[in-house]
mmCIF file of all heavy atoms in Angstrom:
data_model
loop_
_atom_site.group_PDB
_atom_site.id
_atom_site.type_symbol
_atom_site.label_atom_id
_atom_site.label_comp_id
_atom_site.label_asym_id
_atom_site.label_seq_id
_atom_site.Cartn_x
_atom_site.Cartn_y
_atom_site.Cartn_z
ATOM 1 N N VAL I 1 10.240 -11.618 -4.718
ATOM 2 C CA VAL I 1 10.641 -12.585 -3.708
ATOM 3 C C VAL I 1 9.898 -13.890 -3.957
ATOM 4 O O VAL I 1 8.658 -13.905 -4.002
ATOM 5 C CB VAL I 1 10.330 -12.059 -2.292
ATOM 6 C CG1 VAL I 1 10.615 -13.130 -1.241
ATOM 7 C CG2 VAL I 1 11.146 -10.803 -2.006
ATOM 8 N N SER I 2 10.642 -14.979 -4.123
ATOM 9 C CA SER I 2 10.014 -16.278 -4.377
ATOM 10 C C SER I 2 9.063 -16.636 -3.245
ATOM 11 O O SER I 2 9.418 -16.544 -2.077
ATOM 12 C CB SER I 2 11.090 -17.367 -4.501
ATOM 13 O OG SER I 2 11.925 -17.121 -5.602
ATOM 14 N N GLY I 3 7.861 -17.059 -3.615
ATOM 15 C CA GLY I 3 6.860 -17.415 -2.619
ATOM 16 C C GLY I 3 5.994 -16.251 -2.189
ATOM 17 O O GLY I 3 5.021 -16.431 -1.465
ATOM 18 N N ALA I 4 6.352 -15.035 -2.633
ATOM 19 C CA ALA I 4 5.572 -13.853 -2.277
ATOM 20 C C ALA I 4 5.511 -12.907 -3.471
ATOM 21 O O ALA I 4 5.716 -11.704 -3.357
ATOM 22 C CB ALA I 4 6.188 -13.154 -1.065
ATOM 23 N N THR I 5 5.225 -13.474 -4.633
ATOM 24 C CA THR I 5 5.234 -12.707 -5.879
ATOM 25 C C THR I 5 4.216 -11.571 -5.864
ATOM 26 O O THR I 5 4.521 -10.440 -6.264
ATOM 27 C CB THR I 5 4.957 -13.634 -7.073
ATOM 28 O OG1 THR I 5 5.915 -14.697 -7.064
ATOM 29 C CG2 THR I 5 5.071 -12.882 -8.380
ATOM 30 N N ASN I 6 2.998 -11.845 -5.396
ATOM 31 C CA ASN I 6 1.952 -10.821 -5.419
ATOM 32 C C ASN I 6 2.291 -9.641 -4.507
ATOM 33 O O ASN I 6 2.072 -8.484 -4.865
ATOM 34 C CB ASN I 6 0.609 -11.419 -5.030
ATOM 35 C CG ASN I 6 0.094 -12.399 -6.067
ATOM 36 O OD1 ASN I 6 0.429 -12.308 -7.235
ATOM 37 N ND2 ASN I 6 -0.714 -13.357 -5.642
ATOM 38 N N SER I 7 2.832 -9.936 -3.330
ATOM 39 C CA SER I 7 3.229 -8.869 -2.409
ATOM 40 C C SER I 7 4.384 -8.067 -2.985
ATOM 41 O O SER I 7 4.443 -6.840 -2.850
ATOM 42 C CB SER I 7 3.628 -9.467 -1.057
ATOM 43 O OG SER I 7 2.541 -10.136 -0.451
ATOM 44 N N SER I 8 5.316 -8.764 -3.645
ATOM 45 C CA SER I 8 6.457 -8.087 -4.264
ATOM 46 C C SER I 8 5.996 -7.133 -5.351
ATOM 47 O O SER I 8 6.444 -5.974 -5.434
ATOM 48 C CB SER I 8 7.418 -9.120 -4.867
ATOM 49 O OG SER I 8 7.890 -10.025 -3.894
ATOM 50 N N ARG I 9 5.088 -7.610 -6.190
ATOM 51 C CA ARG I 9 4.597 -6.771 -7.292
ATOM 52 C C ARG I 9 3.809 -5.578 -6.787
ATOM 53 O O ARG I 9 3.748 -4.538 -7.461
ATOM 54 C CB ARG I 9 3.734 -7.625 -8.224
ATOM 55 C CG ARG I 9 4.550 -8.620 -9.063
ATOM 56 C CD ARG I 9 3.658 -9.529 -9.868
ATOM 57 N NE ARG I 9 4.441 -10.447 -10.691
ATOM 58 C CZ ARG I 9 3.946 -11.525 -11.283
ATOM 59 N NH1 ARG I 9 2.661 -11.827 -11.133
ATOM 60 N NH2 ARG I 9 4.721 -12.297 -12.025
ATOM 61 N N ALA I 10 3.193 -5.720 -5.617
ATOM 62 C CA ALA I 10 2.444 -4.600 -5.050
ATOM 63 C C ALA I 10 3.374 -3.420 -4.794
ATOM 64 O O ALA I 10 3.003 -2.262 -5.026
ATOM 65 C CB ALA I 10 1.760 -5.026 -3.758
ATOM 66 N N VAL I 11 4.596 -3.700 -4.319
ATOM 67 C CA VAL I 11 5.544 -2.620 -4.022
ATOM 68 C C VAL I 11 5.952 -1.900 -5.303
ATOM 69 O O VAL I 11 5.921 -0.673 -5.382
ATOM 70 C CB VAL I 11 6.803 -3.162 -3.309
ATOM 71 C CG1 VAL I 11 7.663 -1.990 -2.835
ATOM 72 C CG2 VAL I 11 6.441 -4.042 -2.137
ATOM 73 N N THR I 12 6.360 -2.672 -6.305
ATOM 74 C CA THR I 12 6.814 -2.041 -7.546
ATOM 75 C C THR I 12 5.680 -1.268 -8.222
ATOM 76 O O THR I 12 5.900 -0.176 -8.751
ATOM 77 C CB THR I 12 7.398 -3.092 -8.511
ATOM 78 O OG1 THR I 12 6.433 -4.125 -8.744
ATOM 79 C CG2 THR I 12 8.650 -3.724 -7.929
ATOM 80 N N ALA I 13 4.465 -1.820 -8.173
ATOM 81 C CA ALA I 13 3.328 -1.121 -8.771
ATOM 82 C C ALA I 13 3.041 0.181 -8.032
ATOM 83 O O ALA I 13 2.729 1.216 -8.649
ATOM 84 C CB ALA I 13 2.095 -2.017 -8.748
ATOM 85 N N ALA I 14 3.154 0.136 -6.702
ATOM 86 C CA ALA I 14 2.900 1.335 -5.900
ATOM 87 C C ALA I 14 3.941 2.416 -6.192
ATOM 88 O O ALA I 14 3.602 3.598 -6.334
ATOM 89 C CB ALA I 14 2.902 0.976 -4.414
ATOM 90 N N VAL I 15 5.196 2.027 -6.270
ATOM 91 C CA VAL I 15 6.261 3.003 -6.540
ATOM 92 C C VAL I 15 6.081 3.617 -7.924
ATOM 93 O O VAL I 15 6.229 4.832 -8.114
ATOM 94 C CB VAL I 15 7.647 2.341 -6.404
ATOM 95 C CG1 VAL I 15 8.746 3.286 -6.877
ATOM 96 C CG2 VAL I 15 7.903 1.945 -4.954
ATOM 97 N N GLU I 16 5.728 2.775 -8.902
ATOM 98 C CA GLU I 16 5.521 3.301 -10.253
ATOM 99 C C GLU I 16 4.339 4.267 -10.293
ATOM 100 O O GLU I 16 4.371 5.283 -10.996
ATOM 101 C CB GLU I 16 5.332 2.142 -11.228
ATOM 102 C CG GLU I 16 6.641 1.404 -11.505
ATOM 103 C CD GLU I 16 6.443 0.097 -12.243
ATOM 104 O OE1 GLU I 16 5.271 -0.283 -12.490
ATOM 105 O OE2 GLU I 16 7.459 -0.552 -12.578
ATOM 106 N N ALA I 17 3.295 3.976 -9.503
ATOM 107 C CA ALA I 17 2.144 4.880 -9.427
ATOM 108 C C ALA I 17 2.535 6.205 -8.767
ATOM 109 O O ALA I 17 2.092 7.287 -9.184
ATOM 110 C CB ALA I 17 1.008 4.218 -8.653
ATOM 111 N N ALA I 18 3.382 6.120 -7.744
ATOM 112 C CA ALA I 18 3.848 7.336 -7.058
ATOM 113 C C ALA I 18 4.714 8.179 -7.985
ATOM 114 O O ALA I 18 4.603 9.416 -8.006
ATOM 115 C CB ALA I 18 4.630 6.947 -5.810
ATOM 116 N N LEU I 19 5.568 7.534 -8.767
ATOM 117 C CA LEU I 19 6.414 8.261 -9.720
ATOM 118 C C LEU I 19 5.566 8.963 -10.770
ATOM 119 O O LEU I 19 5.866 10.086 -11.185
ATOM 120 C CB LEU I 19 7.391 7.282 -10.392
ATOM 121 C CG LEU I 19 8.507 6.734 -9.506
ATOM 122 C CD1 LEU I 19 9.206 5.566 -10.186
ATOM 123 C CD2 LEU I 19 9.517 7.830 -9.163
ATOM 124 N N GLN I 20 4.492 8.311 -11.190
ATOM 125 C CA GLN I 20 3.588 8.923 -12.154
ATOM 126 C C GLN I 20 2.919 10.161 -11.553
ATOM 127 O O GLN I 20 2.785 11.200 -12.215
ATOM 128 C CB GLN I 20 2.531 7.914 -12.594
ATOM 129 C CG GLN I 20 1.679 8.384 -13.761
ATOM 130 C CD GLN I 20 0.752 7.291 -14.265
ATOM 131 O OE1 GLN I 20 0.539 6.282 -13.602
ATOM 132 N NE2 GLN I 20 0.181 7.487 -15.437
ATOM 133 N N LYS I 21 2.521 10.064 -10.286
ATOM 134 C CA LYS I 21 1.937 11.220 -9.607
ATOM 135 C C LYS I 21 2.949 12.356 -9.487
ATOM 136 O O LYS I 21 2.585 13.537 -9.492
ATOM 137 C CB LYS I 21 1.463 10.824 -8.199
ATOM 138 C CG LYS I 21 0.116 10.125 -8.166
ATOM 139 C CD LYS I 21 -0.371 9.989 -6.728
ATOM 140 C CE LYS I 21 -1.805 9.458 -6.675
ATOM 141 N NZ LYS I 21 -2.320 9.431 -5.289
ATOM 142 N N ALA I 22 4.238 11.979 -9.384
ATOM 143 C CA ALA I 22 5.296 12.975 -9.247
ATOM 144 C C ALA I 22 5.687 13.570 -10.598
ATOM 145 O O ALA I 22 6.566 14.446 -10.662
ATOM 146 C CB ALA I 22 6.516 12.352 -8.579
ATOM 147 N N GLY I 23 5.063 13.082 -11.657
ATOM 148 C CA GLY I 23 5.308 13.666 -12.968
ATOM 149 C C GLY I 23 6.334 12.962 -13.819
ATOM 150 O O GLY I 23 6.867 13.549 -14.765
ATOM 151 N N GLY I 24 6.639 11.699 -13.500
ATOM 152 C CA GLY I 24 7.637 11.001 -14.297
ATOM 153 C C GLY I 24 7.499 9.499 -14.215
ATOM 154 O O GLY I 24 6.418 8.972 -13.919
ATOM 155 N N THR I 25 8.608 8.817 -14.449
ATOM 156 C CA THR I 25 8.651 7.360 -14.391
ATOM 157 C C THR I 25 9.949 6.929 -13.724
ATOM 158 O O THR I 25 10.775 7.772 -13.342
ATOM 159 C CB THR I 25 8.602 6.736 -15.802
ATOM 160 O OG1 THR I 25 9.832 7.051 -16.485
ATOM 161 C CG2 THR I 25 7.418 7.261 -16.606
ATOM 162 N N ALA I 26 10.139 5.618 -13.608
ATOM 163 C CA ALA I 26 11.364 5.094 -13.000
ATOM 164 C C ALA I 26 12.600 5.505 -13.786
ATOM 165 O O ALA I 26 13.714 5.558 -13.240
ATOM 166 C CB ALA I 26 11.279 3.564 -12.907
ATOM 167 N N ALA I 27 12.443 5.825 -15.072
ATOM 168 C CA ALA I 27 13.578 6.245 -15.895
ATOM 169 C C ALA I 27 14.150 7.583 -15.435
ATOM 170 O O ALA I 27 15.284 7.936 -15.758
ATOM 171 C CB ALA I 27 13.147 6.332 -17.353
ATOM 172 N N ASP I 28 13.375 8.353 -14.670
ATOM 173 C CA ASP I 28 13.824 9.668 -14.205
ATOM 174 C C ASP I 28 14.573 9.615 -12.870
ATOM 175 O O ASP I 28 15.046 10.643 -12.382
ATOM 176 C CB ASP I 28 12.612 10.602 -14.067
ATOM 177 C CG ASP I 28 11.878 10.783 -15.386
ATOM 178 O OD1 ASP I 28 12.562 11.079 -16.382
ATOM 179 O OD2 ASP I 28 10.656 10.596 -15.413
ATOM 180 N N LEU I 29 14.669 8.442 -12.275
ATOM 181 C CA LEU I 29 15.381 8.318 -10.999
ATOM 182 C C LEU I 29 16.888 8.380 -11.204
ATOM 183 O O LEU I 29 17.420 7.903 -12.218
ATOM 184 C CB LEU I 29 15.024 6.988 -10.319
ATOM 185 C CG LEU I 29 13.580 6.839 -9.830
ATOM 186 C CD1 LEU I 29 13.309 5.388 -9.453
ATOM 187 C CD2 LEU I 29 13.326 7.759 -8.643
ATOM 188 N N LYS I 30 17.579 8.948 -10.233
ATOM 189 C CA LYS I 30 19.041 8.951 -10.257
ATOM 190 C C LYS I 30 19.534 7.551 -9.967
ATOM 191 O O LYS I 30 19.258 6.979 -8.910
ATOM 192 C CB LYS I 30 19.600 9.915 -9.205
ATOM 193 C CG LYS I 30 19.425 11.385 -9.528
ATOM 194 C CD LYS I 30 20.054 12.236 -8.448
ATOM 195 C CE LYS I 30 19.916 13.718 -8.767
ATOM 196 N NZ LYS I 30 20.508 14.570 -7.682
ATOM 197 N N LYS I 31 20.247 6.982 -10.887
ATOM 198 C CA LYS I 31 20.717 5.610 -10.726
ATOM 199 C C LYS I 31 21.885 5.537 -9.748
ATOM 200 O O LYS I 31 22.689 6.456 -9.641
ATOM 201 C CB LYS I 31 21.142 5.020 -12.077
ATOM 202 C CG LYS I 31 19.999 4.954 -13.091
ATOM 203 C CD LYS I 31 18.880 4.044 -12.612
ATOM 204 C CE LYS I 31 17.779 3.901 -13.639
ATOM 205 N NZ LYS I 31 16.979 5.117 -13.806
ATOM 206 N N THR I 32 21.974 4.418 -9.031
ATOM 207 C CA THR I 32 23.090 4.182 -8.117
ATOM 208 C C THR I 32 23.809 2.914 -8.541
ATOM 209 O O THR I 32 23.224 2.027 -9.165
ATOM 210 C CB THR I 32 22.606 4.014 -6.665
ATOM 211 O OG1 THR I 32 21.700 2.901 -6.608
ATOM 212 C CG2 THR I 32 21.892 5.266 -6.180
ATOM 213 N N HIS I 33 25.059 2.815 -8.213
ATOM 214 C CA HIS I 33 25.849 1.622 -8.551
ATOM 215 C C HIS I 33 25.994 0.751 -7.314
ATOM 216 O O HIS I 33 26.459 1.213 -6.275
ATOM 217 C CB HIS I 33 27.236 2.013 -9.061
ATOM 218 C CG HIS I 33 28.103 0.832 -9.365
ATOM 219 N ND1 HIS I 33 27.869 -0.007 -10.439
ATOM 220 C CD2 HIS I 33 29.201 0.341 -8.738
ATOM 221 C CE1 HIS I 33 28.779 -0.967 -10.457
ATOM 222 N NE2 HIS I 33 29.605 -0.769 -9.438
ATOM 223 N N GLN I 34 25.553 -0.500 -7.432
ATOM 224 C CA GLN I 34 25.634 -1.437 -6.318
ATOM 225 C C GLN I 34 26.697 -2.491 -6.599
ATOM 226 O O GLN I 34 26.726 -3.095 -7.669
ATOM 227 C CB GLN I 34 24.283 -2.124 -6.118
ATOM 228 C CG GLN I 34 23.193 -1.194 -5.616
ATOM 229 C CD GLN I 34 23.365 -0.835 -4.159
ATOM 230 O OE1 GLN I 34 23.639 -1.684 -3.326
ATOM 231 N NE2 GLN I 34 23.201 0.435 -3.838
ATOM 232 N N THR I 35 27.572 -2.683 -5.635
ATOM 233 C CA THR I 35 28.593 -3.717 -5.762
ATOM 234 C C THR I 35 28.127 -4.960 -5.017
ATOM 235 O O THR I 35 27.846 -4.917 -3.820
ATOM 236 C CB THR I 35 29.934 -3.255 -5.158
ATOM 237 O OG1 THR I 35 30.345 -2.066 -5.835
ATOM 238 C CG2 THR I 35 31.003 -4.330 -5.333
ATOM 239 N N ASP I 36 27.983 -6.057 -5.744
ATOM 240 C CA ASP I 36 27.540 -7.300 -5.117
ATOM 241 C C ASP I 36 28.578 -7.829 -4.142
ATOM 242 O O ASP I 36 29.784 -7.759 -4.393
ATOM 243 C CB ASP I 36 27.262 -8.368 -6.179
ATOM 244 C CG ASP I 36 26.032 -8.034 -7.016
ATOM 245 O OD1 ASP I 36 25.129 -7.378 -6.470
ATOM 246 O OD2 ASP I 36 25.997 -8.433 -8.193
ATOM 247 N N ALA I 37 28.088 -8.350 -3.009
ATOM 248 C CA ALA I 37 28.987 -8.901 -1.994
ATOM 249 C C ALA I 37 29.661 -10.169 -2.519
ATOM 250 O O ALA I 37 29.134 -10.866 -3.381
ATOM 251 C CB ALA I 37 28.205 -9.202 -0.727
ATOM 252 N N ALA I 38 30.835 -10.447 -1.977
ATOM 253 C CA ALA I 38 31.577 -11.642 -2.379
ATOM 254 C C ALA I 38 30.956 -12.877 -1.737
ATOM 255 O O ALA I 38 30.168 -12.788 -0.798
ATOM 256 C CB ALA I 38 33.031 -11.498 -1.966
ATOM 257 N N LEU I 39 31.316 -14.044 -2.245
ATOM 258 C CA LEU I 39 30.845 -15.294 -1.660
ATOM 259 C C LEU I 39 31.410 -15.442 -0.251
ATOM 260 O O LEU I 39 32.510 -14.960 0.037
ATOM 261 C CB LEU I 39 31.293 -16.477 -2.521
ATOM 262 C CG LEU I 39 30.625 -16.619 -3.887
ATOM 263 C CD1 LEU I 39 31.306 -17.733 -4.670
ATOM 264 C CD2 LEU I 39 29.149 -16.904 -3.732
ATOM 265 N N PRO I 40 30.690 -16.115 0.646
ATOM 266 C CA PRO I 40 31.193 -16.326 2.012
ATOM 267 C C PRO I 40 32.506 -17.119 1.992
ATOM 268 O O PRO I 40 32.705 -17.996 1.140
ATOM 269 C CB PRO I 40 30.074 -17.135 2.679
ATOM 270 C CG PRO I 40 28.860 -16.878 1.859
ATOM 271 C CD PRO I 40 29.351 -16.694 0.463
ATOM 272 N N THR I 41 33.360 -16.819 2.930
ATOM 273 C CA THR I 41 34.649 -17.537 3.020
ATOM 274 C C THR I 41 34.661 -18.517 4.188
ATOM 275 O O THR I 41 35.445 -19.464 4.187
ATOM 276 C CB THR I 41 35.803 -16.540 3.183
ATOM 277 O OG1 THR I 41 35.551 -15.702 4.329
ATOM 278 C CG2 THR I 41 35.934 -15.665 1.939
ATOM 279 N N ASN I 42 33.805 -18.287 5.184
ATOM 280 C CA ASN I 42 33.755 -19.186 6.339
ATOM 281 C C ASN I 42 32.720 -20.281 6.067
ATOM 282 O O ASN I 42 31.544 -20.136 6.388
ATOM 283 C CB ASN I 42 33.369 -18.389 7.599
ATOM 284 C CG ASN I 42 33.367 -19.263 8.843
ATOM 285 O OD1 ASN I 42 33.926 -20.361 8.845
ATOM 286 N ND2 ASN I 42 32.723 -18.784 9.893
ATOM 287 N N ASN I 43 33.163 -21.368 5.476
ATOM 288 C CA ASN I 43 32.242 -22.401 5.010
ATOM 289 C C ASN I 43 32.487 -23.758 5.659
ATOM 290 O O ASN I 43 32.401 -24.801 5.016
ATOM 291 C CB ASN I 43 32.342 -22.519 3.481
ATOM 292 C CG ASN I 43 31.921 -21.234 2.800
ATOM 293 O OD1 ASN I 43 30.944 -20.614 3.181
ATOM 294 N ND2 ASN I 43 32.683 -20.811 1.803
ATOM 295 N N SER I 44 32.777 -23.717 6.949
ATOM 296 C CA SER I 44 32.963 -24.946 7.718
ATOM 297 C C SER I 44 32.237 -24.789 9.050
ATOM 298 O O SER I 44 32.288 -23.722 9.673
ATOM 299 C CB SER I 44 34.451 -25.205 7.943
ATOM 300 O OG SER I 44 34.638 -26.382 8.688
ATOM 301 N N THR I 45 31.563 -25.837 9.488
ATOM 302 C CA THR I 45 30.781 -25.738 10.719
ATOM 303 C C THR I 45 30.644 -27.104 11.370
ATOM 304 O O THR I 45 30.998 -28.119 10.767
ATOM 305 C CB THR I 45 29.386 -25.137 10.425
ATOM 306 O OG1 THR I 45 28.700 -24.880 11.640
ATOM 307 C CG2 THR I 45 28.559 -26.076 9.555
ATOM 308 N N ASP I 46 30.124 -27.118 12.587
ATOM 309 C CA ASP I 46 29.857 -28.400 13.260
ATOM 310 C C ASP I 46 28.617 -29.058 12.674
ATOM 311 O O ASP I 46 28.635 -30.213 12.269
ATOM 312 C CB ASP I 46 29.654 -28.180 14.769
ATOM 313 C CG ASP I 46 30.905 -27.728 15.474
ATOM 314 O OD1 ASP I 46 32.007 -28.013 14.981
ATOM 315 O OD2 ASP I 46 30.774 -27.076 16.532
ATOM 316 N N VAL I 47 27.515 -28.284 12.648
ATOM 317 C CA VAL I 47 26.236 -28.800 12.166
ATOM 318 C C VAL I 47 25.700 -27.888 11.070
ATOM 319 O O VAL I 47 25.550 -26.682 11.272
ATOM 320 C CB VAL I 47 25.197 -28.895 13.308
ATOM 321 C CG1 VAL I 47 23.852 -29.365 12.769
ATOM 322 C CG2 VAL I 47 25.688 -29.832 14.399
ATOM 323 N N LEU I 48 25.423 -28.470 9.924
ATOM 324 C CA LEU I 48 24.820 -27.741 8.817
ATOM 325 C C LEU I 48 23.370 -28.208 8.684
ATOM 326 O O LEU I 48 23.111 -29.402 8.525
ATOM 327 C CB LEU I 48 25.571 -28.006 7.512
ATOM 328 C CG LEU I 48 24.914 -27.483 6.234
ATOM 329 C CD1 LEU I 48 24.834 -25.958 6.253
ATOM 330 C CD2 LEU I 48 25.665 -27.971 4.997
#
């Protein structure tokens, strides 16, 4: 997350440490497929 790099890295480092304790790495996780949301269509307003 921009502006919070150190806090962001703390999460990923913690998860990787937990995976190591569990006997593996992030490569052993079941992958999921995420579909990115479309661009907004309501792009008109009174005050921006």
Side-chain angles (χ1 to χ4, degrees):
V1 174
S2 297
T5 304
N6 292 334
S7 298
S8 301
R9 288 175 178 166
V11 188
T12 55
V15 172
E16 287 169 357
L19 289 168
Q20 189 173 15
K21 279 190 172 185
T25 68
D28 300 310
L29 293 168
K30 288 182 179 179
K31 299 298 183 289
T32 59
H33 178 70
Q34 292 286 315
T35 301
D36 291 330
L39 290 173
T41 56
N42 183 16
N43 297 318
S44 180
T45 188
D46 293 335
V47 177
L48 171 64

